[in-house]
Amino acid sequence: MEKGTGNDDAKNMGQLPNWNGAAYEVARDVLLQLIGHAASQVVAGEGEWSEKRDRWTSLLNSLDPRDAYSVQEVLDREAPVLKSITEGLNQ
């Protein structure tokens, strides 16, 4: 039986070898900024932000730099939310 490189196993688990850590760092920063914004809204009495803060915190805690799919999902779903918030604050 031939030994594989392990790359097939990594791909099947949603993980890619040598994943670019830059995308992970961007996804992490997006979540941290969203958590910070939500926390400030909660302090200001906007209670509905508490659930969003908790969801983003959970995403951050489970984010794995080796999991290209979850990193990309954060970039696809949460980065536009941050952009919208930022644009709203700048108007």
Side-chain angles (χ1 to χ4, degrees):
M1 177 179 242
E2 288 184 32
K3 288 188 176 182
T5 62
N7 290 346
D8 291 336
D9 291 338
K11 288 177 185 174
N12 291 336
M13 294 174 54
Q15 297 178 347
L16 301 175
N18 301 320
W19 171 244
N20 184 350
Y24 167 78
E25 291 298 326
V26 171
R28 184 178 165 274
D29 288 346
V30 165
L31 290 172
L32 288 170
Q33 291 180 52
L34 287 169
I35 292 164
H37 178 75
S40 69
Q41 295 302 307
V42 171
V43 169
E46 302 289 331
E48 67 273 5
W49 284 88
S50 179
E51 204 172 294
K52 293 176 184 180
R53 180 200 58 207
D54 292 347
R55 185 175 68 80
W56 289 323
T57 300
S58 177
L59 280 172
L60 178 63
N61 289 336
S62 65
L63 194 62
D64 183 343
R66 297 165 297 174
D67 186 346
Y69 300 107
S70 68
V71 169
Q72 190 61 50
E73 187 173 350
V74 167
L75 295 174
D76 290 345
R77 291 185 180 188
E78 309 306 337
V81 174
L82 179 60
K83 181 180 178 185
S84 175
I85 291 169
T86 303
E87 289 173 348
L89 293 173
N90 290 331
Q91 292 181 359

